[in-house]
Amino acid sequence: MDKKPISISFANQKGGIGKSTLTILAASWLRYVRGLNVLVVDCDFPQNSIVELREREKKAVMKNDAYKLMLQRQFERLQKKAYPVIRSTPENAENDVQVFLTSESEPYDVVLYDLPGTMGTKGVIYTISLLNYLFIPMRADRLVMQSTLNFAQTVYDKFVGNPATNIQEVFLFWLSAALVLWNMEDRREKTNIYDLYERMLGTLDMKVYTSRIQMRSKFSRELADTDGTVYRSTLFRSDGTFLRESGMAALMDEICTTIGI
């Protein structure tokens, strides 16, 4: 295969911030909205939550005729099957991706890596060095920001511009609330706090997207939990209103501009 796909990841060494959900929504948007050939590599061992979600969705579709019809219509529109998800680990990801890509007849446009939430996991640093772009979610919480900025600054200093790595750029973006606070408004997240952190970020040599993701309960809703509206899914395009109101569509537009799609 001559064409080399763009490798990206949503990463942060702070656990529970929503990296896997962002990966799912981004992959679905690239595949089912843009029609790109997308591969998701679930390296978040041992839970491999994206692989497990795909299996749950397959079972939900088999039990629901409406979902079967939706899947058929989506295929007729795109003439493409659901994007593949492969189970891996950070230390084996490079080899697993190469084995998969060489077995495919069509070139792939984007490979998304879902990585563990700590740099200390074996193979994470090496896998990050293989990426082309890294997207780092932030939340206006002092502990989260301290961890996030340390991670972002380390990656930027050690990887960007280093000829031994592939990383071209690191981008940060805001989450309005942590995924663990599905149904609660985080009262610490006031506008003045965002303004303070924005000024601080302006002193660093890193780029921040204008899009802000509004994390709410719908981000956790899967096929079996809904009345037919699609939110978090690996098999279907998420609801358009949900994507717009959450800010995910705007974020993906910024990401696509960055990676040249």
Side-chain angles (χ1 to χ4, degrees), residues 156-205:
Y156 192 89
D157 292 342
K158 302 296 184 182
F159 293 84
V160 177
N162 184 340
T165 74
N166 294 331
I167 291 190
Q168 299 177 38
E169 195 55 81
V170 176
F171 288 84
L172 297 100
F173 63 95
W174 288 107
L175 304 179
S176 68
L179 284 174
V180 294
L181 299 175
W182 293 120
N183 298 307
M184 294 184 289
E185 188 71 28
D186 190 339
R187 302 185 188 280
R188 291 169 296 178
E189 292 186 355
K190 302 297 184 182
T191 301
N192 61 334
I193 295 180
Y194 280 112
D195 291 342
L196 173 64
Y197 283 125
E198 290 282 7
R199 290 196 295 271
M200 182 177 65
L201 288 165
T203 67
L204 305 175
D205 194 17

Side-chain angles (χ1 to χ4, degrees), residues 79-243:
Q79 292 299 303
K80 293 177 182 290
K81 297 179 180 179
Y83 63 79
V85 180
I86 61 175
R87 187 191 303 265
S88 188
T89 61
E91 58 185 317
N92 295 324
E94 180 184 26
N95 181 68
D96 290 343
V97 168
Q98 290 305 313
V99 169
F100 178 87
L101 293 178
T102 55
S103 69
E104 292 292 288
S105 58
E106 291 186 49
Y108 273 67
D109 302 295
V110 180
V111 177
L112 287 102
Y113 292 80
D114 188 38
L115 298 170
T118 173
M119 294 275 279
T121 303
K122 186 176 181 180
V124 167
I125 293 177
Y126 177 69
T127 300
I128 288 177
S129 76
L130 301 175
L131 302 173
N132 300 121
Y133 298 94
L134 193 66
F135 306 106
I136 302 177
M138 303 179 291
R139 177 171 168 249
D141 173 278
R142 193 167 294 180
L143 290 177
V144 174
M145 284 299 295
Q146 180 178 357
S147 173
T148 299
L149 291 179
N150 286 340
F151 171 69
Q153 193 69 62
T154 298
V155 172
Y156 192 89
D157 292 342
K158 302 296 184 182
F159 293 84
V160 177
N162 184 340
T165 74
N166 294 331
I167 291 190
Q168 299 177 38
E169 195 55 81
V170 176
F171 288 84
L172 297 100
F173 63 95
W174 288 107
L175 304 179
S176 68
L179 284 174
V180 294
L181 299 175
W182 293 120
N183 298 307
M184 294 184 289
E185 188 71 28
D186 190 339
R187 302 185 188 280
R188 291 169 296 178
E189 292 186 355
K190 302 297 184 182
T191 301
N192 61 334
I193 295 180
Y194 280 112
D195 291 342
L196 173 64
Y197 283 125
E198 290 282 7
R199 290 196 295 271
M200 182 177 65
L201 288 165
T203 67
L204 305 175
D205 194 17
M206 286 180 283
K207 299 178 180 178
V208 182
Y209 281 140
T210 59
S211 303
R212 184 176 294 177
I213 303 299
Q214 303 291 327
M215 304 300 261
R216 295 296 182 262
S217 60
K218 290 179 181 178
F219 277 80
S220 66
R221 295 179 66 180
E222 302 177 10
L223 294 186
D225 304 323
T226 70
D227 57 1
T229 304
V230 177
Y231 298 107
R232 181 171 64 180
S233 174
T234 69
L235 292 178
F236 295 101
R237 171 183 174 173
S238 298
D239 176 70
T241 301
F242 163 66
L243 291 174

Side-chain angles (χ1 to χ4, degrees), residues 238-256:
S238 298
D239 176 70
T241 301
F242 163 66
L243 291 174
R244 290 190 300 273
E245 291 180 349
S246 67
M248 195 68 200
L251 175 65
M252 291 310 302
D253 283 339
E254 288 196 279
I255 288 175
C256 285

